[in-house]
Amino acid sequence: MMADSSEVINNTYNTRQDLLAERIIRGNIYGNDYEVLAETVTNKDGTESRRYPYDSLFVHIVGQFSQGKTGIELSENFPLLTSNTNAFSQFLEDIAGDKIAGDNVVTTLDVSLQQIAADALGDRKGAVVVLEPDTGKILAMVSKPDYNPNTVSEKWEELKEDVQNESALMNRAAQGLYPPGSTFKLVTALEYMREYGDYSKYEYNCEGLDDFSGIKIRCYNEKHHGMVDLKLSLAKSCNTSFANIGSKLDLKSFRNTCNSLLFNTKLPTSIVTNRSHFVLDEHSDEEEVPQTAIGQGKTQITPLHNAMIVAAIANGGNLMRPYVVDRVETSKKKIVKKNVPSIYGALMTAEEAQVLTEYMQAVVEEGTAAELKNSKYTAAGKTGSAEYNSSKSSHAWFVGFAPAEDPKIVVSVIVEGAGTGSQYAVPIAKQLFEQYLT
């Protein structure tokens, strides 16, 4: 590799950056409609500073500059410190003693969706991810709590000290690890479908409480769902039924399916992420199985990863690589580099994706996401209430897409410690669907 490569220059500690900054004005970062998300301004004393017009709104995905670069400010550091304007223009600026305008980064981020996601989440901790299933374009990524990148230097010590409590510096959307709760039932259902060709004949009589390998599993409020098939089990988010399903699975195969869905591996994206965890295997204790099958136990997932699994379902089984940089342009809007959608691979067959889509539509039509029913669009989704401590406090989840018959938008929402997904996460998704589709 050449010592002059962008990977080396992008290193925070490389002095080449300083040399480039002396000659080039750091480029702007734009939204998908050329809204300025980050820009360099020259102060009265001739010094330069980075300005973020939307304050905290994009801080976790766009990043910040002054206290160790993060987000796009870090991943696109080299392009932002490079100028591809024509040589003659650069010559004239050099002669005049002026600095050269660096290249600009145009993102896939939709300002209106980002604002709605942030407003809907409000002051609650959590995260929202919005993407296009057929391209992988990330349209919005919100993490709360947040902070203002314009004042990060003044607040830095306070932010660092608070990292154990609020963790405002962490991008929860890509790095936060949570029990998936009932959203994981999509994975359990997929595994059951793969192992049992007659899955449509599955039946279970839910009485609200059942015992599996000495572990008592309860449905929410011990509700009796009665006789359910696989579709209705998902629609009603029946814990006892899915614990029963888990008891019938081959655990080695289950782990292989989870690994193929990108658990325990790096996600195919340039965004800094944490790896989701699935630890169940053929050597695990029996009592771990029912909890894992309903999305509890030791399983952990990031909101971005959850969005990607659902995006594959929405896209006929194929996962597109998520990306947030659409293109790099000169200051005159000449395209230097254009990112195009690229397929990662098939996470499931088209037939499996179609069945899961039908089941997720049932969640809306006759199940726990009924608030999305009777909208101007059709929706498919899965709610979740993920217990995370001994007092049974729950994170509220929703993952889904719309329109169900021709998916344009995927949403992943988690609200920390809120309660049920149907009450706290679904309304956020509904606002995003309505903004984008109506």
Side-chain angles (χ1 to χ4, degrees), residues 396-413:
W397 273 105
F398 176 80
V399 290
F401 54 87
E405 69 281 2
D406 184 21
K408 301 296 185 186
I409 181 176
V410 168
V411 172
S412 174
V413 178

Side-chain angles (χ1 to χ4, degrees), residues 275-418:
R275 298 185 183 204
S276 300
H277 304 300
F278 181 85
V279 300
L280 198 67
D281 62 23
E282 66 270 30
H283 306 297
S284 298
D285 294 334
E286 285 186 6
E287 56 264 29
E288 292 183 49
V289 176
Q291 290 283 7
T292 302
I294 65 172
Q296 296 290 160
K298 299 174 183 176
T299 306
Q300 291 187 309
I301 194 170
T302 64
L304 174 59
H305 185 195
N306 224 351
M308 291 166 64
I309 292 173
V310 173
I313 296 172
N315 197 41
N318 293 321
L319 174 66
M320 305 302 290
R321 297 177 188 271
Y323 67 102
V324 70
V325 174
D326 184 75
R327 60 194 181 275
V328 177
E329 298 179 341
T330 69
S331 58
K332 305 297 183 183
K333 294 190 177 182
K334 179 182 178 182
I335 294 177
V336 176
K337 177 185 177 182
K338 170 76 173 174
N339 289 326
V340 296
S342 64
I343 186 170
Y344 167 78
L347 299 193
M348 63 196 72
T349 67
E351 291 77 15
E352 290 168 341
Q354 181 58 42
V355 172
L356 289 176
T357 295
E358 292 173 4
Y359 288 5
M360 292 169 72
Q361 285 183 269
V363 174
V364 173
E365 293 301 317
E366 52 187 316
T368 56
E371 185 173 339
L372 296 172
K373 188 178 178 180
N374 299 323
S375 300
K376 294 179 181 178
Y377 51 84
T378 54
K382 184 69 193 81
T383 59
S385 303
E387 293 181 3
Y388 62 92
N389 60 24
S390 57
S391 63
K392 300 189 181 300
S393 301
S394 296
H395 299 317
W397 273 105
F398 176 80
V399 290
F401 54 87
E405 69 281 2
D406 184 21
K408 301 296 185 186
I409 181 176
V410 168
V411 172
S412 174
V413 178
I414 186 165
V415 187
E416 293 185 17

Side-chain angles (χ1 to χ4, degrees), residues 15 57 116 126 305 328 346 425:
T15 55
L57 184 59
I116 285 173
H305 185 195
V328 177

Side-chain angles (χ1 to χ4, degrees), residues 225-246:
H225 293 118
M227 192 64 69
V228 292
D229 59 8
L230 185 58
K231 181 179 181 180
L232 198 57
S233 296
L234 190 80
K236 301 297 185 181
S237 204
C238 181
N239 285 339
T240 55
S241 179
F242 269 91
N244 179 59
I245 289 169

Side-chain angles (χ1 to χ4, degrees), residues 12 26 29 37-38 50-52 55-56 58-75 77 80 147-154 156 159-160 168-169:
T12 304
R26 188 176 184 83
I29 300 174
L37 308 184
R50 203 67 167 156
R51 189 177 79 91
Y52 301 90
D55 294 330
S56 62
F58 291 92
V59 65
H60 290 102
I61 184 63
V62 169
Q64 57 92 17
F65 177 76
S66 60
Q67 293 295 329
K69 302 175 191 70
T70 60
I72 296 169
E73 291 279 32
L74 175 61
S75 65
N77 186 48
L80 291 166
Y147 63 96
N148 190 338
N150 292 307
T151 59
V152 66
S153 294
E154 298 95 305
W156 186 242
L159 285 166
K160 285 197 301 180
L169 295 174

Side-chain angles (χ1 to χ4, degrees), residues 129-265:
V129 177
V130 185
L131 55 80
E132 289 181 352
D134 58 344
T135 65
K137 289 182 179 179
I138 294 174
L139 302 177
M141 183 176 283
V142 170
S143 175
K144 294 288 188 81
D146 53 26
Y147 63 96
N148 190 338
N150 292 307
T151 59
V152 66
S153 294
E154 298 95 305
K155 302 282 188 179
W156 186 242
E157 292 303 318
E158 181 182 330
L159 285 166
K160 285 197 301 180
E161 289 175 6
D162 204 32
V163 72
Q164 293 300 321
N165 298 317
E166 297 295 322
S167 301
L169 295 174
M170 182 179 70
N171 182 358
R172 282 164 157 75
Q175 297 170 288
L177 288 168
Y178 303 92
S182 293
T183 64
F184 189 76
K185 289 171 183 171
L186 292 168
V187 179
T188 304
L190 175 62
E191 177 60 24
Y192 186 80
M193 288 161 53
R194 288 179 172 178
E195 291 190 37
Y196 295 88
D198 60 348
Y199 62 86
S200 61
K201 298 179 180 178
Y202 170 82
E203 284 188 338
Y204 173 80
N205 184 32
C206 168
E207 297 180 350
L209 172 67
D210 208 342
D211 186 286
F212 301 90
S213 302
I215 301 297
K216 285 185 169 56
I217 298 295
R218 293 174 170 81
C219 287
Y220 183 67
N221 287 337
E222 293 194 18
K223 181 177 177 60
H224 291 221
H225 293 118
M227 192 64 69
V228 292
D229 59 8
L230 185 58
K231 181 179 181 180
L232 198 57
S233 296
L234 190 80
K236 301 297 185 181
S237 204
C238 181
N239 285 339
T240 55
S241 179
F242 269 91
N244 179 59
I245 289 169
S247 69
K248 301 177 184 298
L249 299 179
D250 179 282
L251 299 186
K252 183 177 181 180
S253 175
F254 197 10
R255 185 178 179 87
N256 288 339
T257 288
C258 288
N259 286 343
S260 73
L261 294 176
L262 301 176
F263 282 88
N264 306 313
T265 191

